[in-house]
């Protein structure tokens, strides 16, 4: 079945450093979504990418969808302690409905 | 500010007991998901409803889990009998439409501990 992979599962950075993480799908995706879960919280939608090569920015966060629509990246510029949490990518299972396959997520910790 | 609500937020129970978790989706949303989150497995889809009809529960252990939507404002997930391996956080999520481009809105979760 479809797999969405995020490696590594944990990353520690010094506050102020840049951070990049990747998401890879075993199949071509119609779109990819990113969610953030703060410690003790629930996943919250961040962004959706639909077009091949699409780049979207949210303040210090930059999201990109690969040309082949099988991978995506999240880049955070000058990390802050507020960036702490787990970032999940997810892609539709079939493209026909809203079921998503979630990656295992990457948990980011930031040293002040 | 519309939100998905879940009750209880925390539940500690003993093995063999019945557990019922409730979810109120955002008003007007027609699609509901139940997920289970553990450190080892991440987010696993348990059940999926559209317009209250169950469409997929293949992720659920059938012998002990059941999911229903008795009306548009309530989704329930029951475990009977519960086992220690069911300890996890259970999330409900709702969407306005059953479309691959729609956003999933997650509830705060029920943290279940089975002793």
């Amino acid at each position: 079945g479809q797999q969405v992979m995020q490696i590594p599962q944990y990353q520690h950075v010094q506050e102020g450093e840049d951070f990049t993480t990747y998401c890879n799908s075993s199949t071509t995706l119609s779109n990819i979504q990113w969610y953030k879960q703060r410690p003790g919280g629930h996943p919250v939608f961040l962004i959706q990418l639909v077009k091949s090569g699409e780049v979207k920015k949210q303040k210090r966060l930059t999201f990109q969808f690969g040309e082949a629509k099988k991978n995506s990246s999240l880049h955070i510029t000058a990390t802050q302690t507020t960036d702490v949490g787990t970032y999940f990518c997810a892609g539709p299972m079939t493209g026909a409905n809203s079921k998503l396959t979630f990656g295992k997520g990457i948990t980011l910790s930031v040293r002040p | 500010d519309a939100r998905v609500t879940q009750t209880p937020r925390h539940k500690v129970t003993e093995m063999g007991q019945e557990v019922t978790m409730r979810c109120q989706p955002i008003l007007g949303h027609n699609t509901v998901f139940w997920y289970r989150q553990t450190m080892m497995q991440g987010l696993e889809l348990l059940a999926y409803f559209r317009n209250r009809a169950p469409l997929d529960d293949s992720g659920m252990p059938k012998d002990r889990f059941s999911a229903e939507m008795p009306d548009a404002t309530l989704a329930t997930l029951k475990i009977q009998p519960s086992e220690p391996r069911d300890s996890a956080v259970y999330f409900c999520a709702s969407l306005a439409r059953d479309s691959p481009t729609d956003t999933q809105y997650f509830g705060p979760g029920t943290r279940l501990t089975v002793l």
Side-chain angles (χ1 to χ4, degrees):
Chain A
Q2 179 191 63
Q3 291 186 352
V4 175
M5 292 151 286
Q6 294 181 259
I7 297 171
Q9 281 193 263
Y10 302 93
Q11 194 152 346
H12 312 279
V13 299
Q14 186 72 39
E15 189 174 21
E17 287 182 348
D18 290 356
F19 162 75
T20 303
T21 189
Y22 300 92
C23 170
N24 295 292
S25 170
S26 58
T27 59
T28 301
L29 300 171
S30 59
N31 67 78
I32 195 158
Q33 300 181 21
W34 284 87
Y35 290 77
K36 178 182 179 181
Q37 183 176 18
R38 294 183 187 276
H42 58 276
V44 175
F45 174 79
L46 290 177
I47 209 155
Q48 180 181 212
L49 304 168
V50 178
K51 299 177 185 175
S52 169
E54 186 172 14
V55 177
K56 286 188 176 180
K57 292 190 177 184
Q58 286 183 350
K59 297 183 181 178
R60 294 177 295 101
L61 276 62
T62 302
F63 301 84
Q64 185 164 6
F65 203 6
E67 294 291 338
K69 301 183 78 172
K70 292 184 72 175
N71 54 66
S72 180
S73 65
L74 158 61
H75 178 81
I76 304 178
T77 303
T79 53
Q80 299 177 359
T81 54
T82 53
D83 297 324
V84 162
T86 301
Y87 294 84
F88 296 95
C89 61
M93 287 188 185
T94 65
N97 57 46
S98 54
K99 284 201 297 185
L100 295 176
T101 301
F102 280 85
K104 290 251 176 110
I106 179 164
T107 298
L108 175 66
S109 64
V110 179
R111 293 187 296 272
Chain B
D1 187 21
R3 295 183 185 187
V4 176
T5 58
Q6 288 186 248
T7 56
R9 295 291 308 277
H10 303 272
K11 176 74 176 178
V12 180
T13 190
E14 292 189 345
M15 183 173 62
Q17 296 298 305
E18 177 178 302
V19 174
T20 298
M21 292 170 269
R22 294 176 175 80
C23 165
Q24 182 172 9
I26 292 173
L27 190 63
H29 281 195
N30 76 350
T31 303
V32 172
F33 292 98
W34 281 104
Y35 292 94
R36 175 170 62 186
Q37 186 177 44
T38 60
M39 290 293 290
M40 292 299 294
Q41 300 298 328
L43 272 169
E44 299 175 276
L45 178 64
L46 297 176
Y48 160 42
F49 291 82
R50 185 202 305 144
N51 294 323
R52 297 174 54 201
L55 296 185
D56 185 356
D57 60 1
S58 58
M60 239 169 29
K62 299 291 189 305
D63 55 337
R64 299 184 299 108
F65 284 60
S66 62
E68 295 179 342
M69 258 195 100
D71 62 62
T73 64
L74 177 64
T76 62
L77 180 67
K78 288 187 181 179
I79 309 175
Q80 168 63 20
S82 58
E83 297 181 2
R85 60 182 166 148
D86 300 329
S87 297
V89 181
Y90 291 82
F91 289 106
C92 167
S94 74
L95 298 83
R97 300 173 303 144
D98 187 16
S99 161
T101 57
D102 258 41
T103 299
Q104 297 199 13
Y105 293 86
F106 283 76
T110 294
R111 183 174 294 276
L112 174 65
T113 303
V114 183
L115 303 174

